Amino acid sequence: MGSTSNFYGTTLAGGTRTALCGLGGCGTVFKITPDGTLTTLHNFMGQDGEGAGPEGALIQATDGNFYGTTTVGGSSGSPNCPDGCGTVFKITAEGTFTTLARLSPSDGNSPLGLVQGTDGNFYGTTEVGGNSCSCGAVFQVTPEGVVALLHNFHNNAGGFFASSGLLQATNGTFYETTFYSFPGNGIVYSLSVGLGPFVKSVPTAAKTGTTVKILGNNLLFATAVTFNGVATAFTAESSTYIAATVPDGATTGPIQVTLPTGR
C-alpha cells in the first residue's frame, strides 16, 4: 500500500507481447484503488535494455517512488543469463518508469526484490549467478543506479540460492534465508554493512492520541521520545519495545528515542 492508500504491485507475465517474452507477455506494474479500480502503469518490453518478468514485491522508498526488480532482461545476455541478468527499476505513483540498474553476471542473476536500508541505498539478493557456481549473490544499488556486489554464495560452505528478500533489523544488520546449504537444508544468515541501530514505529502512521509500538535496541534506558520534535509520554516495556502515545501537535516526520550517553 502506497502513502496515498492505493495499492501497487507487479505481474510476472502478461501485458505487451514481445520477442523476448512471446505470447505470455513480459509483465506489468499496476495500481488498484481501495474500491477496486485497476490501472496498468507500465508494460515491460524486455528490449532496449529494459527488464522483464518482475517477481519480487515493490517497495515505496523515502522519496515516494516505487522500486522493484525484474528477473531477466537488462544488459546483453551471457552464457549464465542469455536473456539478461535482470534489472532494478523505479516507477512513480503516476507511472513514469526508469530502469535504474542492469545487473551483470558477476552481480548475480534473477534478483528477488529490494529493501531500502537506513543509509538510503537499496539492497537485494539474487537467486542464482554471481560466481562460477552460480549460487546467488547479495548486492547494493545506490539511488543513482551504481551496483556493488556485497557477497557471493558458495556451495562448498554455508548456504546458497537465496530464497527471499532481505530484512533490515533495528540493530542495522540485514537478515535472510537460503534454499540450500552444504550440509543441510538452508540457512538463516546475517550481513552487516556497518549501518547503526535505529527505531521503527508500528504502525508507521497514526492519529493523535493513538498508542504505537516503537521497536529498537537498549530501549529500557530511554530518557525521552519525540515525534518530529514533539515530546510524548512513553513506557519502556522491554529492551526492544516502547509503547508511546502520538502527542498533540505532532506532524509527519522522524521519531527519535533519546538514550543516556554511552547507550
Side-chain angles (χ1 to χ4, degrees):
M1 184 172 69
S3 56
T4 60
S5 297
N6 294 317
F7 299 93
Y8 297 81
T10 61
T11 64
L12 181 64
T16 305
R17 302 173 180 179
T18 69
L20 176 63
C21 306
L23 297 178
C26 292
T28 67
V29 179
F30 65 88
K31 175 180 76 174
I32 187 166
T33 64
D35 62 5
T37 302
L38 177 69
T39 303
T40 298
L41 295 179
H42 182 73
N43 281 294
F44 289 94
M45 303 299 290
Q47 57 193 26
D48 299 326
E50 186 178 287
E55 186 172 9
L58 293 172
I59 62 167
Q60 188 172 27
T62 53
D63 62 2
N65 296 314
F66 295 90
Y67 292 79
T69 59
T70 66
T71 55
V72 295
S75 58
S76 300
S78 73
N80 289 335
C81 40
D83 294 323
C85 297
T87 67
V88 176
F89 65 86
K90 174 176 72 174
I91 188 168
T92 68
E94 295 75 33
T96 301
F97 181 88
T98 304
T99 298
L100 186 66
R102 299 172 176 87
L103 299 187
S104 68
S106 61
D107 298 322
N109 181 2
S110 299
L112 296 170
L114 299 171
V115 63
Q116 187 176 33
T118 48
D119 59 352
N121 294 317
F122 300 97
Y123 296 84
T125 58
T126 67
E127 190 171 4
V128 292
N131 55 26
S132 58
C133 84
S134 193
C135 294
V138 184
F139 64 92
Q140 176 200 71
V141 180
T142 69
E144 296 74 34
V146 179
V147 181
L149 176 69
L150 299 180
H151 178 73
N152 270 318
F153 293 103
H154 296 274
N155 61 2
N156 59 351
F160 55 101
F161 298 164
S163 62
S164 61
L166 293 164
L167 176 148
Q168 188 182 19
T170 54
N171 62 2
T173 300
F174 294 94
Y175 294 85
E176 203 217 9
T177 59
T178 68
F179 275 118
Y180 303 108
S181 60
F182 183 79
N185 297 308
I187 63 169
V188 179
Y189 69 89
S190 66
L191 176 71
S192 174
V193 295
L195 301 181
F198 62 95
V199 294
K200 179 180 181 179
S201 68
V202 180
T204 56
K207 294 181 179 180
T208 298
T210 303
T211 299
V212 300
K213 297 178 180 179
I214 299 175
L215 307 180
N217 299 268
N218 296 324
L219 300 183
L220 280 175
F221 304 100
T223 58
V225 174
T226 59
F227 286 70
N228 204 23
V230 180
T232 189
F234 68 94
T235 301
E237 303 285 356
S238 72
S239 63
T240 59
Y241 163 43
I242 283 176
T245 303
V246 180
D248 290 335
T251 55
T252 299
I255 294 173
Q256 183 173 12
V257 175
T258 303
L259 300 177
T261 301
R263 293 288 183 181

